[in-house]
Amino acid sequence: MNTTTATTPSLDRRRLLGASLMLPALGALGLPARALAADTPQGAILRQLEAGRETDIARLREWIALPSIAAENRNMPEGAQMMARLAREAGFESVEVVPTDGFPGVFGVMDNGAETTLGLYFMYDVKQFDPAEWSSPPLEGHIIAKPGWGQALVGRGAINQKGPQATLLAGLHAMRRAGITPPVNLVLVAEGEEEIGSPHFKQLATHPKVLPALKKCAGIFIPACWQGPDGEVSINLGAKGVVELELIASGEAWGRGPVGDIHSSNKASVDSPVWRLVQALQTLVTPDGNTAAIDGWFENVRPLTAREKELIAISAANTDEAKVKAMMGVTHWIDDLPFEAAIARQASQPTVNIEGLVAGYTGPGGKTILPGRATAKLDLRLVPNQTRAEAERKLRAHLDAHGFPDVEMKVTGGYDPTEVAEDARLIRAQKEVYAAMGVKANLFPRLAGSWPGAVFTAPPVSIPATQFGIGHGSGAHAPDEYFVIDSTNPKVAGMSRASLGFIELMYQLARTT
């Protein structure tokens, strides 16, 4: 059973489940004084969130200061231990660091004596970063004024995913201080390899101690704070799968070109592994680079259903296209498509993307060499009914059939697409929460990005999995990644309000059957 503070009386769970925590006055995402002063569960939690605000921000800054980067094997044991400590401090019991064949995961439970159990998916790893590209040090968590948004904390992992996760943990701390027991039991699974395609996450989810706990869950979600400038959010009924890999061309494997770098004057008589790789890459997509051309790639792609097309049309009508373009820093969609068609592509199309292309000398000035090796880092986004195994097999067969058997294919991670039924209990609870909070929520067929939700939705776990949350941040994987702490936009939640959103989901799920 979760412990509570001795100074504040515990509030009866049945009374809490009988009514929403959200007051109508909070529909505009404010924190009115009368709600804070009210003798209500919400008022008690809000007061504790405000009282603990500086501590909650300091906790997030401490977390950001320890970057666990799986791709660099940087601070991985330390990151797992910190994740375990944060879980224990928030009230999770039996917290364990669970070994895998890769980097460890973290597992914990919070038994609140409730009838319903909710799963939480966390990640403690972050993407790589180059401090020279940032306007403030990426590990110091500076708080800046973000025009149009408010006070924002800048740092690697601020929105992906430490900010939203720290916000959920802040809500649990506030409930403990207020003497309020969460209305659901909680199961936490956290991995340290999400940013490299979760190659060993299934080992964590199916661990003999973890799997039985997950199977008790009514659903699981990853905390997200992705509100747009008009306060809108998406309820995604799934996510694309992904394969992360490298294609490598070398003189050694090819048997042509140099084994190592040589002077570029020799190009007149020596083959180039770099051009070899470029030619291989050109076969993977149409000439404009916008559609996959891998042999058999669309063989199992499921077309959009009538309902999915309907959801896309509604989402397009309810979204400000100009603001979306401005946030992304783009001025055109592919083929100058209208907005609805562009987001239909987002939901329906598998992609072949070059995320990095490295060969030879890339420093200041020139260096006249003919490189002996070239590497392309790719991510392949998958849609129903593709699978990771199918994608890997077809890519290898395509390269071989097109005369590139020497191009090495090194897969580093990935997983299948995921889908969640629109009438799933967790989805219905989300819709109720957003409506109660006055947040405009658009149902959307699937997230264009990826997370390992398929590990949960597929056997042997077989539970609904999605994202949830209010608040705002942006810049994931990019310089100056940020998370809004105090919002000046009345339609967008700050950190305390976002914490309440996570708490309300727990109550709503406990009421939903």
Side-chain angles (χ1 to χ4, degrees), residues 279-303:
Q279 290 164 352
L281 293 171
Q282 288 176 328
T283 72
L284 304 183
V285 291
T286 53
D288 60 8
N290 292 332
T291 302
I294 299 169
D295 298 339
W297 198 245
F298 287 87
E299 184 177 43
N300 294 320
V301 169
R302 195 201 73 201

Side-chain angles (χ1 to χ4, degrees), residues 334-402:
I334 284 175
D335 297 329
D336 292 318
L337 292 172
F339 188 43
E340 182 178 331
I343 63 174
R345 278 188 62 94
Q346 284 275 66
S348 66
Q349 294 298 297
T351 61
V352 176
N353 176 59
I354 299 174
E355 61 185 45
L357 191 57
V358 183
Y361 178 71
T362 60
K367 185 180 181 184
T368 50
I369 59 170
L370 195 170
R373 180 183 178 92
T375 301
K377 294 179 179 289
L378 274 63
D379 61 70
L380 316 175
R381 303 285 174 172
L382 311 177
V383 299
N385 292 317
Q386 292 179 297
T387 67
R388 171 189 170 175
E390 171 201 1
E392 292 178 19
R393 182 177 66 253
K394 287 181 174 177
L395 175 57
R396 182 68 268 170
H398 173 95
L399 290 169
D400 293 347
H402 286 259

Side-chain angles (χ1 to χ4, degrees), residues 48-58 177 485-486 496:
Q48 291 299 331
L49 282 167
E50 291 298 288
R53 178 181 180 279
E54 295 304 319
T55 300
D56 294 335
I57 293 173
R177 293 193 301 268
I485 302 298
D486 291 314
S496 294

